Amino acid sequence: MKNRKKRNKKAGKYFLLLLSIIVVVLYLFPFYIVVVNAFKTPMETAGNALAFPTGLITDNFHDAAKKINFNRALKNSLIVTGVSVALIVFFSSMSGYVIARNHMKNRFFGFLDRTFMSSQMLPFQVVMVPVYRLFRMYGLLNTLAGEIIMLTGMSVAYASFLYVGFVKSVPYELEEAARIDGAGPFKTFFIVVFPLLTPVTATVAALHVMWLWNDFNVALIMLQKDAVRTLTVKQFYFFTQYSSDYNMAFAASLMGMIPVLIFFMAMQKYLINGITDGAVKG
């Protein structure tokens, strides 16, 4: 009986291992296609898109960077993503803190919390036309400022939700001690509370760097001039009505994913800890 249990337990471990390997392969397969075909010629890709390249053709990277003006597109993406994430952290941390500390005392903050949560179910396509008209009226179309405002406004609700769950785990006695020492509400938050929110702040930053860097729908609507377009929109340049240059598109995609991939690898520990702490402690 004991031997049978051991065999079943061992078989279960091997099954989970095999299942994990299959899942990893499925997730890495698209990345494999991008990397392999970025170094191929069009003839090699047409022959077999899954085979290894016969040689490392780096011309695809040079030609792709030249065709889409990669440096300018990269600069636009860095500005939009960096400023948007900084604003999201700034506003959502304060809103999450206020909601977490007052939602039980004041109905308004409870209503605000539910409004933030329900707004996450509203797809961008619903507000796309009104937003386009509003931003055109105020001269914010085809500007990085307009793109930043739009992305920040769309992201504050979810980020605030993450902060609310985490702020509840911060001891209120620390704030009371700061107020006794004469600290005002803003000083109490930024000096005492905000440093304790580092795990969830890292989570919010990591998640939104990935989402905003890869944003396509908003950028396509808001940024129609070539000078302000980001990397994701510039991918259109490789596909026309009569031709498609997959090799240069793969090369540009690979160059575009490297910065956010490095950032995610550096932040993944905080990402996992922040989501877990926010969910459990909330």
Side-chain angles (χ1 to χ4, degrees):
M1 188 67 179
K2 291 182 179 179
N3 292 333
R4 182 182 298 178
K5 288 183 179 180
K6 289 182 179 179
R7 286 196 300 268
N8 292 338
K9 190 175 181 180
K10 193 173 183 179
K13 289 182 178 179
Y14 283 124
F15 175 76
L16 290 176
L17 178 62
L18 178 62
L19 184 63
S20 301
I21 294 174
I22 293 174
V23 171
V24 169
V25 170
L26 290 176
Y27 272 99
L28 293 179
F29 184 68
F31 184 74
Y32 167 80
I33 294 178
V34 172
V35 174
V36 167
N37 288 281
F39 292 95
K40 285 183 178 181
T41 63
M43 292 296 294
E44 288 180 310
T45 301
N48 188 350
L50 300 181
F52 285 104
T54 56
L56 296 180
I57 309 299
T58 59
D59 292 343
N60 292 327
F61 295 89
H62 178 268
D63 295 340
K66 184 177 179 180
K67 186 171 184 178
I68 66 174
N69 198 343
F70 180 81
N71 291 336
R72 182 170 62 185
L74 177 64
K75 179 182 176 182
N76 293 337
S77 292
L78 288 172
I79 292 173
V80 169
T81 304
V83 176
S84 297
V85 171
L87 292 175
I88 290 167
V89 169
F90 179 75
F91 290 116
S92 60
S93 61
M94 291 191 294
S95 64
Y97 168 73
V98 172
I99 290 173
R101 289 295 187 242
N102 298 280
H103 76 287
M104 298 297 293
K105 306 174 185 177
N106 192 313
R107 292 183 179 179
F108 170 76
F109 292 103
F111 171 76
L112 187 62
D113 187 22
R114 291 188 291 270
T115 302
F116 276 175
M117 294 180 64
S118 60
S119 67
Q120 299 173 41
M121 297 182 290
L122 187 68
F124 172 70
Q125 288 76 7
V126 174
V127 298
M128 182 170 59
V129 174
V131 163
Y132 178 85
R133 291 179 177 178
L134 182 67
F135 276 59
R136 184 179 61 180
M137 182 173 63
Y138 287 104
L140 291 172
L141 283 181
N142 299 313
T143 64
L144 296 182
E147 174 77 352
I148 290 169
I149 292 172
M150 187 64 200
L151 293 177
T152 302
M154 292 177 58
S155 306
V156 165
Y158 178 71
S160 298
F161 169 73
L162 293 178
Y163 273 108
V164 168
F166 199 91
V167 169
K168 292 178 181 178
S169 66
V170 177
Y172 188 70
E173 292 75 14
L174 296 176
E175 301 170 47
E176 291 181 335
R179 291 193 180 97
I180 292 173
D181 291 336
F186 286 98
K187 187 174 182 180
T188 299
F189 174 73
F190 287 108
I191 302 299
V192 178
V193 179
F194 188 75
L196 300 176
L197 304 179
T198 299
V200 71
T201 298
T203 300
V204 170
L207 288 174
H208 286 86
V209 163
M210 290 187 293
W211 293 340
L212 303 188
W213 185 270
N214 295 315
D215 169 71
F216 179 79
N217 291 331
V218 178
L220 182 64
I221 299 299
M222 300 293 298
L223 306 175
Q224 299 176 2
K225 290 184 178 180
D226 182 69
V228 293
R229 283 183 167 174
T230 55
L231 285 172
T232 52
V233 182
K234 285 295 187 75
Q235 291 294 322
F236 261 145
Y237 282 51
F238 304 108
F239 303 96
T240 63
Q241 183 178 358
Y242 301 105
S243 65
S244 299
D245 199 324
Y246 291 100
N247 299 98
M248 282 200 292
F250 284 132
S253 298
L254 187 59
M255 290 188 294
M257 73 172 66
I258 288 175
V260 71
L261 185 62
I262 294 174
F263 181 84
F264 174 75
M265 291 176 64
M267 301 292 289
Q268 61 178 340
K269 179 180 70 174
Y270 301 102
L271 176 63
I272 296 172
N273 292 340
I275 292 178
T276 304
D277 292 344
V280 175
K281 296 178 181 179

